[in-house]
Amino acid sequence: MKEDDGTGPPNRELYALLHLSPEASDEEIRRAYRQWAQVYHPDKYQAPHMKEIATENFQRICEAYEILSDENKRQIYDIYGMEGLNSGLELGPKLNKVEELKEQLEKLKRMKEQQKMSALFLPKGSIVANLSLPEFLDGDGIMRGMAMASAVQSQLSKSSSLSLSGNLGVEENSGAGAASAVFRHQIASDSTVEFMGSVGLGSLIGVQMTRQLSLHSTATLGIAKSFHDGSINLSNVWTRQLSDTASGNIELLLGPQSSIGVGWQKKDQNTSAAGEFGTNSFGISARYTRRFSSKSHGRIAGRIGSAALEVEVGGGRKVSDFSTVRMLYTIGIRGIFWRFELHRGGQKLLIPILLSRDLNPVLATGAFVVPTSIYFILKKFVFKPYYLKREKQKALENMERTATQVQEARKAAAKAQQLLENVANRKRNKQQETGGLVITKAIYGNHKALKKGDELRETNDELASQVLDVTLPLNFLVNDSGQLK
């Protein structure tokens, strides 16, 4: 027999204890429970060690039957396994549908995640360092400018939060900064109001209100007064959910720099795309991102308008659970750029590098081909071997951590087979007498270990410990008609 490929139902251990299919009916569950209860009932055994083994297995059978015979518990187990049963779901007539069970468990998971985030809260921030190769070659220094921004949000109550943020920018010999605060309060289940104030560059005070107009539509109205020139600015944004994965928005700004903007976003499991058109700079921008695997993605973006004409390509890779690195190549009327990005948690480090202000074909081609070639070479000969080695090491460490549990499970299986031995041998002898079905050899386990075959009998290879002899239980499962289910 081959190793289980894992393509079956994700939660089937309890079904396996009763030798049932996950699609088994209530009657089949009751019949299986009665059959195995007779086999494992402690009163059938006199020897103390056999009675102890029978008691242990009888308790497991009873627990499996208790869960699978209850409709609500069985539904939770089928969806989320023992985790769902132990997560605190309230069982009853109000939670008798799969959708309702999923919704309730997702709420519990979100609450736990929010508690974790509250315990490990980190502020959001970004650092942008603008570098210039042409200025460095002219002897003026490589740093063109730098900008920093940071924000911290605190949940004051269930319906109120306060966000404090600040930013600072330096460009050659000039610089500016600003600090702002936003108080957000949810006045109803579908409405929120925000009061904002900012001091420094672009000082203002304002208020905006957001309301969910329907299941798929949201509107935001805002008014702000600038202390810089005394102007009044009005804003209005409508957002509409176009489908399960796509949404669109229209933005109207009235003030010294009035404009209209139209945007569209689409995001699913592996791809995301966005487009935007605005009258402020008379431009159109679009971005498309494709996820190639759980750790890597690619991106292509373009901007065209009165103030921009450029194309951007690149990609990124997830290097840990909280960190992602990205490199992008941009060519346009502003010149040729590289941009390196490091994202870790809520922090970002962005390093745009101006390579040339002139669109030199040779430089433009080399700036794209050289780093791309270096990346694929490093990926094949450095990164991939390193990750494979690390994953193998993690697998070995996991095996070491679970070695005790595996040994205990093997011992439990061996004990359970002792209870089946007499009946299995009697069935086997009967099948031999009638010329029926007799299982002479059956093994189950690691595919590599199974390939070695007889070598396992002669060596103490660690793979040998990953193979089980299931000849006896299979003979036990042969019925009087000589059939193995």
Side-chain angles (χ1 to χ4, degrees):
M1 294 178 64
K2 290 185 178 182
E3 180 186 17
D4 176 30
D5 59 6
T7 58
N11 302 304
R12 55 184 181 181
E13 181 181 354
L14 299 184
Y15 293 100
L17 284 173
L18 297 176
H19 193 60
L20 289 169
S21 164
E23 291 77 30
S25 65
D26 294 340
E27 178 58 33
E28 289 174 330
I29 293 174
R30 285 191 291 271
R31 188 164 56 245
Y33 168 70
R34 288 194 295 268
Q35 174 187 351
W36 290 104
Q38 292 176 359
V39 174
Y40 292 133
H41 201 286
D43 293 344
K44 296 188 62 176
Y45 304 92
Q46 300 299 324
H49 74 283
M50 294 297 287
K51 184 180 289 289
E52 181 181 351
I53 295 172
T55 301
E56 180 182 342
N57 284 275
F58 184 72
Q59 290 175 347
R60 296 174 65 195
I61 294 300
C62 291
E63 180 184 9
Y65 177 70
E66 179 187 359
I67 294 173
L68 298 183
S69 61
D70 186 293
E71 182 180 1
N72 290 328
K73 290 184 179 181
R74 184 180 178 182
Q75 285 182 344
I76 297 174
Y77 176 77
D78 289 343
I79 301 170
Y80 294 106
M82 296 304 295
E83 177 190 1
L85 292 170
N86 298 328
S87 64
L89 284 175
E90 297 180 1
L91 304 176
K94 293 184 179 180
L95 289 177
N96 56 5
K97 294 182 180 179
V98 173
E99 294 79 7
E100 294 172 345
L101 296 173
K102 286 183 178 181
E103 181 181 358
Q104 183 71 7
L105 188 56
E106 289 300 327
K107 287 182 179 179
L108 293 171
K109 285 186 174 182
R110 285 196 296 269
M111 289 176 62
K112 291 181 179 179
E113 289 298 324
Q114 290 175 358
Q115 292 173 356
K116 290 181 180 179
M117 289 297 294
S118 299
L120 302 173
F121 180 77
L122 294 175
K124 295 182 178 180
S126 64
I127 299 176
V128 181
N130 291 290
L131 308 182
S132 174
L133 185 60
E135 293 183 7
F136 175 73
L137 296 177
D138 292 339
D140 295 333
I142 195 171
M143 183 69 71
R144 298 174 58 202
M146 178 174 285
M148 294 180 288
S150 181
V152 177
Q153 180 174 329
S154 176
Q155 194 72 30
L156 304 179
S157 65
K158 292 183 179 180
S159 57
S160 301
S161 64
L162 177 65
S163 176
L164 302 175
S165 61
N167 60 78
L168 176 66
V170 178
E171 186 73 24
E172 295 181 350
N173 296 325
S174 62
S180 60
V182 178
F183 175 77
R184 183 176 185 270
H185 180 70
Q186 186 164 354
I187 55 180
S189 60
D190 58 354
S191 303
T192 58
V193 62
E194 294 182 357
F195 301 92
M196 62 198 72
S198 176
V199 295
L201 182 64
S203 299
L204 59 83
I205 186 171
V207 60
Q208 70 176 24
M209 183 174 181
T210 302
R211 181 177 177 83
Q212 187 170 354
L213 304 179
S214 66
L215 184 62
H216 303 290
S217 300
T218 304
T220 300
L221 298 174
I223 181 172
K225 177 179 175 60
S226 172
F227 294 120
H228 179 66
D229 55 10
S231 62
I232 301 295
N233 296 272
L234 302 176
S235 63
N236 196 347
V237 180
W238 294 275
T239 303
R240 172 75 178 180
Q241 191 72 29
L242 305 176
S243 67
D244 292 339
T245 59
S247 63
N249 65 277
I250 300 176
E251 182 178 13
L252 173 63
L253 300 178
L254 298 177
Q257 296 181 345
S258 300
S259 66
I260 298 177
V262 179
W264 169 83
Q265 302 85 33
K266 179 178 175 62
K267 184 176 183 179
D268 54 30
Q269 185 175 1
N270 295 320
T271 62
S272 64
E276 184 177 353
F277 169 78
T279 61
N280 189 16
S281 57
F282 296 99
I284 300 175
S285 64
R287 182 182 71 252
Y288 176 79
T289 303
R290 172 72 179 181
R291 185 178 297 277
F292 301 118
S293 67
S294 60
K295 293 185 176 181
S296 61
H297 65 272
R299 171 183 290 183
I300 181 170
R303 289 175 286 273
I304 182 173
S306 59
L309 177 60
E310 59 187 24
V311 176
E312 182 180 80
V313 294
R317 184 173 182 84
K318 189 174 183 180
V319 295
S320 71
D321 292 338
F322 303 100
S323 301
T324 300
V325 295
R326 185 180 297 155
M327 179 179 177
L328 301 168
Y329 168 79
T330 305
I331 180 172
I333 59 175
R334 297 187 302 142
I336 303 171
F337 289 84
W338 282 342
R339 189 165 87 245
F340 299 94
E341 299 182 2
L342 171 62
H343 299 247
R344 180 169 178 79
Q347 309 296 317
K348 299 179 183 179
L349 174 61
L350 313 177
I351 306 178
I353 304 176
L354 174 63
L355 302 178
S356 174
R357 293 189 179 90
D358 302 322
L359 300 182
N360 186 300
V362 176
L363 178 60
T365 303
F368 176 75
V369 173
V370 172
T372 303
S373 302
I374 293 175
Y375 167 75
F376 283 107
I377 292 174
L378 292 176
K379 178 182 178 182
K380 182 175 182 179
F381 297 105
V382 179
F383 299 144
K384 191 173 182 179
Y386 168 75
Y387 282 114
L388 289 176
K389 182 178 179 180
R390 191 173 71 171
E391 291 299 322
K392 185 177 180 180
Q393 181 64 30
K394 286 183 178 180
L396 292 175
E397 292 175 356
N398 184 60
M399 288 180 62
E400 293 177 358
R401 286 195 302 267
T402 59
T404 303
Q405 298 177 2
V406 172
Q407 290 300 323
E408 291 178 354
R410 291 177 67 91
K411 290 179 181 178
K415 291 179 179 179
Q417 287 196 33
Q418 294 180 32
L419 303 178
L420 306 179
E421 187 172 3
N422 291 335
V423 178
N425 289 335
R426 186 167 64 248
K427 287 188 174 184
R428 178 173 179 172
N429 294 334
K430 183 177 180 180
Q431 291 298 321
Q432 286 178 333
E433 294 174 359
T434 59
L437 176 63
V438 175
I439 310 297
T440 59
K441 185 66 176 179
I443 55 176
Y444 173 88
N446 184 281
H447 184 65
K448 292 181 180 179
L450 294 177
K451 278 187 174 182
K452 291 193 173 183
D454 295 336
E455 296 180 12
L456 293 174
R457 302 175 184 175
E458 304 173 0
T459 66
N460 292 323
D461 191 279
E462 64 177 9
L463 291 178
S465 64
Q466 302 178 29
V467 173
L468 292 174
D469 188 327
V470 292
T471 307
L472 190 147
L474 286 183
N475 278 303
F476 176 86
L477 294 174
V478 177
N479 59 26
D480 294 338
S481 302
Q483 295 179 338
L484 174 64
K485 182 179 179 182

